[in-house]
Amino acid sequence: MTIKPIRNERDHDAAKERLKELLLKGGQKSARDEIDVLAALIEKFERETVLDRSPTPVEAIRFRMNQSGLSAKDIEPYIGSRARVSEVLSGKRKLSVDMMRALHDGLGIPYEALMQKERPASVSEIEVTQPVLKRLADFGIKLSEASVGEFIDNAFGASLRPVLNRKTRTQRASGKTDANALILWQAVVLSKARKTKPISEFYPEKFNKAFLRWIAQLSSHPKGPIRAINELSKMGVSVVIFPVLPGTFLDGAVMLLDGKRPVIGLTLRHDRIDNFWFTLLHELAHIVEHYDVLVRSKEPFFDELDLETEDVIENEADRLAANSLIPPAMCKVLKKKFLSTDEIKAVGEEAGVHVSVVAGRWQRDHNDYKKFSRLIVRKTVRDMLNAQQSCD
């Protein structure tokens, strides 16, 4: 019996196929241990990566009604008249505080479910705040509340729709994130990617760890960010720079246009050389390791890289990004707490990357953002890329 951990969708599929094979054989006694272990691993992976979908208030009420055999008339004491119950169950009326209290006390429905915001049924129902619309207008994208749905539809394409107000466990974004603003940010990125096609078609088999290592070494070039974006275009990958919207805290994301072509969105929220390169390599790592996940889920990876995570997929992308920038054999010296500037520069020269990348790595590993701060180049990437876009 040879069993390995389930780290990605490929491992997950293989484990399920093996489990199916064993079960079809009748669950022979000699295979019971393997069946038990595989089942436990599959359950753990799915628990960590499946959609985290909390019920809406109406769903919670209907669940309790079905569970307890209650009719609409039976919940009138908690909500009010027959007409009011009908309005609540049809989604036409929102629950009042008194209704929530009565449903919780009388039927034991958790407050968390009763206070959950209703998910819009379509993009036309998405509520976008005025600060978000103003921020878009500042960047030349003028939308009204009425035109938001059409803009999102056009950006995503006729055959695809965003998943509304839902998060996956692989979404590395703050709990304070405005989900609707996040969808609109994604729509902007997709819309821009639609208007500027990459130089070549995308072929997943050409994307590998060696290519990522080569991209990482472009960081040593004075115009490295521009060169990297151009090289990615030659590989069929679009990179779109667009700042964060109010209520979002992203560093970057990777998504698919029309379910096929990878698009990387970068916010440059922290305009630092080291942050740019780690974010770019992290999103590229998702393409190398998790392109199949993107295709199957039809959902992006949103990444707020300041956040720690225990997610298997995110940790894989972190590890590949870090190793692409500074291979493990070259970064042993960075474990030292007391390091000189010359040693930092020596690692950068050996790895063939910008010294800011090495200094930033040491700062993160040691949680010390004062030391080597002079080696971190700031406020240059956004100006460089904006100037390039103006020329284009």
Side-chain angles (χ1 to χ4, degrees), residues 4-279:
K4 62 179 183 178
I6 299 177
R7 296 189 176 92
N8 51 47
E9 286 291 331
R10 290 188 293 273
D11 294 344
H12 182 227
D13 288 343
K16 288 196 297 183
E17 285 298 317
R18 176 57 178 164
L19 180 61
K20 180 180 178 181
E21 179 185 327
L22 292 171
L23 292 173
L24 287 175
K25 290 181 180 179
Q28 299 173 358
K29 186 176 181 179
S30 60
R32 287 178 185 172
D33 287 346
E34 186 175 357
I35 290 173
D36 289 344
V37 174
L38 280 172
L41 289 172
I42 291 170
E43 181 184 1
K44 179 177 183 294
F45 179 80
E46 291 178 344
R47 188 169 61 248
E48 292 175 346
T49 60
V50 295
L51 293 174
D52 181 14
R53 184 181 184 275
S54 300
T56 66
V58 172
E59 289 170 342
I61 294 169
R62 289 192 179 279
F63 175 79
R64 186 51 51 87
M65 290 172 65
N66 293 333
Q67 188 182 49
S68 304
L70 301 175
S71 65
K73 183 175 178 59
D74 294 326
I75 64 171
E76 286 179 15
Y78 311 105
I79 292 179
S81 66
R82 180 178 299 181
R84 186 167 294 180
V85 169
S86 176
E87 288 174 343
V88 167
L89 293 181
S90 65
K92 295 179 181 179
R93 177 187 287 268
K94 295 182 179 180
L95 292 175
S96 68
V97 173
D98 288 340
M99 290 178 192
M100 292 182 192
R101 186 180 295 116
L103 289 164
H104 173 74
D105 294 341
L107 298 180
I109 302 176
Y111 277 124
E112 181 182 1
L114 294 171
M115 296 174 70
Q116 184 79 16
K117 187 176 181 180
E118 292 285 352
R119 290 183 293 274
S122 68
V123 292
S124 63
E125 298 178 16
I126 285 181
E127 297 178 0
V128 181
T129 65
Q130 287 301 315
V132 170
L133 295 178
K134 183 180 183 304
R135 179 70 165 165
L136 289 172
D138 290 342
F139 287 94
I141 303 172
K142 296 183 179 180
L143 298 176
S144 65
E145 292 182 19
S147 64
V148 166
E150 182 181 2
F151 177 79
I152 293 174
D153 271 339
N154 291 337
F156 277 78
S159 62
L160 296 173
R161 292 291 183 273
V163 181
L164 305 178
N165 279 358
R166 293 172 69 179
K167 296 181 181 181
T168 66
R169 293 188 183 277
T170 55
Q171 177 176 295
R172 196 171 180 178
S174 170
K176 297 179 181 180
T177 294
D178 179 339
N180 292 341
L182 197 62
I183 288 174
L184 194 47
W185 181 87
Q186 183 187 357
V188 171
V189 171
L190 289 173
S191 178
K192 288 180 174 293
R194 241 178 233 293
K195 295 174 182 176
T196 308
K197 292 185 178 181
I199 296 172
S200 302
E201 294 294 318
F202 174 73
Y203 298 98
E205 62 275 12
K206 293 184 178 181
F207 241 77
N208 54 43
K209 295 178 181 179
F211 176 70
L212 262 60
R213 174 70 181 129
W214 181 74
I215 287 290
Q217 290 181 306
L218 292 178
S219 66
S220 62
H221 191 279
K223 298 289 184 180
I226 294 173
R227 287 193 59 184
I229 290 173
N230 289 340
E231 293 299 332
L232 289 171
S233 180
K234 295 176 184 177
M235 295 289 283
V237 176
S238 296
V239 178
V240 174
I241 311 297
F242 196 77
V244 291
L245 296 176
T248 65
F249 311 90
L250 292 179
D251 290 296
V254 61
M255 60 202 77
L256 298 183
L257 185 64
D258 297 328
K260 297 178 182 179
R261 175 159 65 86
V263 176
I264 292 174
L266 301 177
T267 67
L268 304 184
R269 183 167 65 108
H270 303 299
D271 191 353
R272 299 168 30 141
I273 286 286
D274 58 320
N275 185 267
F276 169 83
W277 286 103
F278 184 80
T279 304

